[in-house]
Amino acid sequence: MKKEFGGMGFRHLHAFNLVMIGQQGWRLMTNNDTTVTKVLKAKYFPNGKFLDAQLGHNPSFIWCSIHAS
């Protein structure tokens, strides 16, 4: 929706959301010292790298979104 009509001005909100979630994946690969990275690494890819991670059993909504992006 256009800004004039009360929207945020994004043309493709779904694509924008995918980009933002993709940035979270990039942060998981590059920032190994953050708490979020440590928690997700311990649960979803403890012995490997982010790019080799599987969806796993009973994944959280956040992990499903990051994994899909």
Side-chain angles (χ1 to χ4, degrees):
M1 185 183 291
K2 293 184 178 182
K3 287 184 180 181
E4 297 89 32
F5 302 117
M8 295 175 62
F10 299 114
R11 289 183 177 210
H12 304 286
L13 194 57
H14 180 72
F16 177 75
N17 285 339
L18 281 177
V19 168
M20 297 305 285
I21 293 170
Q23 285 181 347
Q24 291 298 324
W26 177 256
R27 288 185 186 111
L28 286 174
M29 290 189 298
T30 59
N31 299 335
N32 294 327
D33 297 332
T34 63
T35 304
V36 173
T37 301
K38 290 177 183 179
V39 169
L40 290 175
K41 180 175 174 52
K43 183 165 183 173
Y44 296 111
F45 53 103
N47 299 324
K49 295 183 179 182
F50 169 73
L51 294 176
D52 299 330
Q54 299 295 319
L55 197 55
H57 175 70
N58 196 17
S60 67
F61 180 76
I62 293 171
W63 178 248
C64 288
S65 298
I66 293 172
H67 188 266
S69 69

